[in-house]
Amino acid sequence: MRRILFLFTLLLLVISMKAQNQQEWRDSVSELSAMIERYPRNVSLRLRKAAFNIELEQWQYALDEYSNVLDLEPQNLTALYYRGFVNQHLGRYGFARKDYEEVLKVEPFNTHALMGLVLTNLADKHITQAFDDANRLVEQIPDNAEVLAIRAEVEMQLKMLDAAVMDIEKAIKIEDIKVQQKYPTSMDDNITSYQLTAFGLYMQQGNMNKAHQALEYLVKNGLPKAYLTDYYNQLSKKK
């Protein structure tokens, strides 16, 4: 099966863009636009410009550029995937779904396209399909915290609270181990998000002790308590 390496393309683009401010990004877009006028069939230039358009939140320009690439190369999976991402951001869920599905036709085990499909179906209230695809994702990468958290979100929509709790607790454990190995004195945004998801699930289950523990975990690990005022207020109203 052909290996698609478009994520490495993104990684290189992101590394390049980190060092630039927005004005520099705009300058880069202008320069790339001028180069594209000279070399209109250069796919690499168009992909670079579209990536800057996304960074600048110029979603329609990015959409148009990825479509231009696909006019030149209909099977370009980089353009298909990111056009799906842009369509998803713009709320064009039907178009996003089609783009992700086109990627999966060529690369059936592409977890990033499948993840995009799950999130698109979740946003578009196609919950049953989102659940089926989330299960496929977990089968492919069972120890991925982000994937487990996504399935937990789908399970919440289906009122499968016990299953959602199991998934989000596993996601927290996996992410916590990863963070402790790299940055033993810090906590990343993912753990914060996962703990707050767990808090909401515990509240729905009526498990006030665990809900309180989720908040205390965040405070203990450096999140200012003031940030969690609304959550503590929810907790106090239930007691």
Side-chain angles (χ1 to χ4, degrees):
M1 181 174 61
R2 191 153 57 101
R3 300 299 299 168
I4 305 302
L5 300 179
F6 62 79
L7 285 173
F8 290 103
T9 302
L10 173 67
L11 179 60
L12 292 174
L13 289 170
V14 169
I15 291 172
S16 173
M17 290 188 286
K18 288 288 187 183
Q20 302 186 22
N21 60 35
Q22 288 213 349
Q23 185 55 52
E24 289 172 326
W25 293 337
R26 292 189 182 95
D27 292 342
S28 294
V29 167
S30 297
E31 292 169 5
L32 286 165
S33 296
M35 293 175 70
I36 288 168
E37 286 187 13
R38 294 179 61 190
Y39 307 103
R41 299 187 65 82
N42 189 308
V43 166
S44 178
L45 290 175
R46 290 188 179 278
L47 289 174
R48 288 173 62 195
K49 176 179 173 292
F52 283 113
N53 290 142
I54 288 177
E55 196 69 21
L56 290 165
E57 299 184 359
Q58 296 172 339
W59 300 104
Q60 188 59 51
Y61 287 120
L63 181 67
D64 292 343
E65 205 60 81
Y66 287 127
S67 294
N68 289 335
V69 170
L70 290 165
D71 287 339
L72 295 168
E73 296 182 3
Q75 291 297 307
N76 188 300
L77 297 197
T78 303
L80 273 171
Y81 173 80
Y82 286 110
R83 190 174 71 174
F85 172 78
V86 172
N87 275 321
Q88 179 185 337
H89 181 88
L90 292 172
R92 292 160 48 94
Y93 300 126
F95 292 103
R97 188 179 297 110
K98 183 178 179 181
D99 285 336
Y100 290 136
E101 287 173 347
E102 287 298 316
V103 174
L104 291 166
K105 284 180 183 178
V106 180
E107 185 88 357
F109 296 100
N110 189 300
T111 55
H112 298 278
L114 188 53
M115 190 180 301
L117 189 58
V118 172
L119 294 173
T120 295
N121 283 323
L122 185 61
D124 203 24
K125 307 302 182 184
H126 293 197
I127 307 301
T128 300
Q129 186 59 52
F131 183 59
D132 291 342
D133 290 335
N135 285 331
R136 286 172 57 197
L137 261 179
V138 174
E139 287 176 7
Q140 291 179 25
I141 39 177
D143 295 322
N144 183 287
E146 184 178 6
V147 166
L148 289 165
I150 288 172
R151 187 170 72 172
E153 187 175 349
V154 178
E155 289 163 339
M156 287 172 63
Q157 295 295 318
L158 293 170
K159 306 301 181 184
M160 300 169 59
L161 299 185
D162 290 343
V165 165
M166 289 179 61
D167 277 342
I168 203 64
E169 287 181 343
K170 185 175 179 181
I172 290 168
K173 288 179 181 178
I174 292 170
E175 190 71 15
D176 188 53
I177 290 170
K178 183 174 74 174
V179 170
Q180 292 305 315
Q181 289 174 342
K182 291 185 177 180
Y183 312 105
T185 60
S186 66
M187 179 178 60
D188 71 356
D189 291 341
N190 286 339
I191 289 184
T192 301
S193 174
Y194 300 161
Q195 285 285 7
L196 293 178
T197 297
F199 169 84
L201 285 164
Y202 296 143
M203 292 289 285
Q204 289 185 62
Q205 289 182 321
N207 193 332
M208 300 302 112
N209 286 334
K210 280 203 165 185
H212 184 262
Q213 289 171 14
L215 298 182
E216 290 299 297
Y217 173 96
L218 294 175
V219 173
K220 180 181 177 182
N221 284 277
L223 192 67
K225 195 168 184 177
Y227 178 83
L228 299 168
T229 299
D230 289 344
Y231 297 96
Y232 277 106
N233 288 342
Q234 290 178 46
L235 193 59
S236 63
K237 289 177 182 178
K238 290 286 187 178
K239 289 183 176 180

